[in-house]
Amino acid sequence: MLHQPASNAGSVERLEAEPVNAERHRRPLYEKRRKIFPKRAEGRFRRFKWLVMLVTLGIYYSTPWIRWDRGIHAPDQAVLIDLASRRFYFFFIEIWPQEFFFVAGLLVMAGFGLFLVTSAVGRAWCGYTCPQTVWVDLFLVVERFIEGDRNARMRLEATPWRLDKIRKRVGKHAIWLAIGVATGGAWIFYFADAPSLLAGLLTVDAPPVAYTTIAVLTTTTYVFGGLMREQVCTYMCPWPRIQAAMLDENSLVVTYNDWRGERRSRHAKKAAPAGEVVGDCVDCNACVAVCPMGIDIRDGQQLECITCALCIDACDGVMDKLGRERGLISYATLSDYAANMALATNNGATAVNPRRVRNANGVFVEQVRQFDWRIIFRPRVLLYFSVWALVGIGMLYALVARDRLELNVLHDRNPQYVVDSDGSVRNGYMVKLLNMIPEQRRITLTLDGMPSADMRIAGQAPGDGRSFSVAVDPDKVTPLKIFVTLPREKLAEAKDGFSLRAEDPSSHEQDVYRVNFNQPGTAK
């Protein structure tokens, strides 16, 4: 596209939008919050944010209602954190307390995922998928629907409290509270059977902790998403401070390209005949008006910027009206920006001169560096991705290879052994068989080692003295009290102890536990 003069610059509306953190108007750190009235943006990034909001909210609100058949002995809720049974269900996956390392692995993956995304595309998490961002977007949809877009909301704010204003404000806050209640309600459905809990809530028969949780989450959602908004990101969230360590000169961040935008002028049509050097920025403040954080991206990189890219959409719309190339505000790397800035300023010897970056036809010269997607695949990003992928592969292997049968043996502490009248020595053990599938099965418990020893299970019919078939309940721990007896003349066999082996003959799953056998002179 050829660079054309701003002959139709008059068609561009100039918005009176003052950034909340403008350097030229610095205010005290603890001043009263100034309300921000972000204007609705239109463009590809805004559409992407709508898509992300619909997908994330849809997943959050609908997941507890998805059913998953695990048989008659297990809950049929696809995703359930069963605190009473100390179990976590995720579709076909079931996590027990002793498998908490899977949860730890997911947290590690989440951390490295954030590092990966931030090093590649800046604060994309903050701008698109952070819960605070998603719910603020949702609250803004409600606000715009009831009170109108930016100018209408500003006029309403300035008007006295009359019936129309009260009606709109009450309606808006009532819907915000309803969203907060739905948010808290959806959260508790992850911890109990959703249909049963909903029925209990409606009949005021649910546990008190359910109502307390809904009240707390309703309050936080309403306050953070509706009242505090950008202040949560600026003052409460630690990620803006941490992200600096994740960024480098090749990270993509939302950037105002002042090497082509300066000097700003609202009168480019008059400036051209006068020989004045002006850039593409017409100082319309559209980028400030759409910013949900209330900042001016033209002031450079700022802690408050969540890289939502709505300023890109706003600026691209203005450039389309003016017949100029898009990208005055764009995703760019610091290295590309620095190279283009050096070109526009003759390596810093002069002020920005946009004519240095264009040829006689108004087209960008070849030396201007444009975005190259290959910059994403650099060593730092690949390192984060490798660690993230290795953790994921390790967890997947552990998940697939894990046994669903576990054996735990605890030696009696008092007495540690008993000497029978014939001189034989008997040891007692508490055995726990953990059946980690929702089906009843029979497990063979076998004594290996100490060939002269005899085993007996309390309450069970005698077997052959070395092996017993035990029925274990589905998805539960089955406790057994066993006694192992060794004749007096064979006590030497107890030197190395013995093993208990639990095996499922149908699936050939097994677990082995090494056990000590105490006798006079060796008790511990």
Side-chain angles (χ1 to χ4, degrees), residues 67 102 111 128 230 276 279 301 317 441 469 514:
R67 302 293 98 182
F102 284 112
Y128 300 99
E230 76 287 344
E276 298 180 16
Q301 292 301 310
R441 53 180 174 172
S469 180
R514 192 70 185 170

Side-chain angles (χ1 to χ4, degrees), residues 315-326:
C315 188
D316 284 349
V318 173
M319 292 297 105
D320 289 344
K321 291 181 180 180
L322 298 178
R324 303 178 183 179
E325 301 94 335
R326 290 186 168 194

Side-chain angles (χ1 to χ4, degrees), residues 108-109 112-113 115-117 119 376-395:
V108 172
M109 288 188 68
F112 274 97
F115 299 161
L116 170 64
V117 170
S119 63
I376 295 177
F377 302 98
R378 60 189 190 278
R380 183 174 185 171
V381 176
L382 294 177
L383 174 63
Y384 287 139
F385 177 78
S386 298
V387 175
W388 180 85
L390 285 174
V391 174
I393 292 172
M395 288 178 57

Side-chain angles (χ1 to χ4, degrees), residues 197-418:
L197 182 55
L198 178 60
L201 290 171
L202 296 178
T203 57
V204 197
D205 194 32
V209 68
Y211 297 103
T212 303
T213 303
I214 292 176
V216 171
L217 291 181
T218 297
T219 302
T220 54
T221 304
Y222 171 75
V223 172
F224 291 169
L227 304 182
M228 295 184 66
R229 293 184 181 175
E230 76 287 344
Q231 291 187 308
V232 174
C233 304
T234 303
Y235 300 110
M236 297 177 63
C237 181
W239 188 238
R241 284 83 179 167
I242 299 173
Q243 68 156 350
M246 301 294 105
L247 298 174
D248 58 30
E249 66 277 5
N250 291 314
S251 299
L252 283 173
V253 292
V254 175
T255 305
Y256 167 62
N257 296 307
D258 48 1
W259 51 268
R260 61 167 279 196
E262 301 295 321
R263 180 176 59 95
R264 307 173 198 174
S265 175
R266 281 171 266 162
H267 308 287
K269 186 176 180 180
K270 297 179 181 178
E276 298 180 16
V277 178
V278 295
D280 288 345
C281 181
V282 295
D283 203 19
C284 62
N285 285 336
C287 54
V288 182
V290 300
C291 181
M293 300 298 294
I295 66 172
D296 189 344
I297 193 63
R298 295 172 297 179
D299 290 338
Q301 292 301 310
Q302 299 156 71
L303 177 145
E304 295 87 351
C305 179
I306 59 174
T307 67
C308 62
L310 295 182
C311 54
I312 297 180
D313 283 340
C315 188
D316 284 349
V318 173
M319 292 297 105
D320 289 344
K321 291 181 180 180
L322 298 178
R324 303 178 183 179
E325 301 94 335
R326 290 186 168 194
L328 177 58
I329 301 176
S330 65
Y331 271 105
T333 66
L334 179 61
S335 58
D336 287 346
Y337 169 81
N340 293 335
M341 195 66 175
L343 182 64
T345 61
N346 193 21
N347 292 319
T350 65
V352 173
N353 186 349
R355 294 175 181 175
R356 293 181 180 275
V357 298
R358 300 183 186 273
N359 58 27
N361 296 323
V363 179
F364 287 125
V365 298
E366 293 183 359
Q367 293 88 336
V368 171
R369 291 173 61 171
Q370 305 287 353
F371 168 67
D372 184 353
W373 61 268
R374 289 173 294 183
I375 196 66
I376 295 177
F377 302 98
R378 60 189 190 278
R380 183 174 185 171
V381 176
L382 294 177
L383 174 63
Y384 287 139
F385 177 78
S386 298
V387 175
W388 180 85
L390 285 174
V391 174
I393 292 172
M395 288 178 57
L396 183 61
Y397 174 78
L399 188 65
V400 172
R402 65 179 178 164
D403 289 329
R404 302 283 74 204
L405 174 65
E406 285 193 9
L407 170 66
N408 187 274
V409 182
L410 182 64
H411 197 294
D412 285 351
R413 298 299 299 171
N414 187 25
Q416 294 191 16
Y417 62 88
V418 174

Side-chain angles (χ1 to χ4, degrees), residues 376-511:
I376 295 177
F377 302 98
R378 60 189 190 278
R380 183 174 185 171
V381 176
L382 294 177
L383 174 63
Y384 287 139
F385 177 78
S386 298
V387 175
W388 180 85
L390 285 174
V391 174
I393 292 172
M395 288 178 57
L396 183 61
Y397 174 78
L399 188 65
V400 172
R402 65 179 178 164
D403 289 329
R404 302 283 74 204
L405 174 65
E406 285 193 9
L407 170 66
N408 187 274
V409 182
L410 182 64
H411 197 294
D412 285 351
R413 298 299 299 171
N414 187 25
Q416 294 191 16
Y417 62 88
V418 174
V419 179
D420 292 335
S421 58
D422 61 356
S424 59
V425 178
R426 183 175 74 248
N427 282 206
Y429 304 88
M430 176 57 69
V431 175
K432 293 182 179 180
L433 289 173
L434 175 57
N435 178 17
M436 302 171 69
I437 63 174
E439 299 175 6
Q440 190 173 39
R441 53 180 174 172
R442 296 198 71 85
I443 302 299
T444 301
L445 186 64
T446 304
L447 187 153
D448 293 330
M450 297 198 319
S452 302
D454 180 77
M455 180 172 65
R456 177 172 62 88
I457 300 179
Q460 297 269 346
D464 61 7
R466 302 283 297 182
S467 183
F468 292 84
S469 180
V470 181
V472 294
D473 294 329
D475 225 16
K476 288 184 179 179
V477 175
T478 300
L480 300 172
K481 182 66 177 181
I482 72 168
F483 299 97
V484 177
T485 304
L486 192 62
R488 178 178 57 184
E489 62 274 11
K490 299 295 184 179
L491 291 179
E493 296 178 3
K495 178 181 179 182
D496 297 323
F498 64 95
S499 296
L500 281 179
R501 174 165 47 90
E503 182 178 9
D504 183 351
S506 61
S507 64
H508 302 290
E509 279 186 278
Q510 68 173 11
D511 192 19

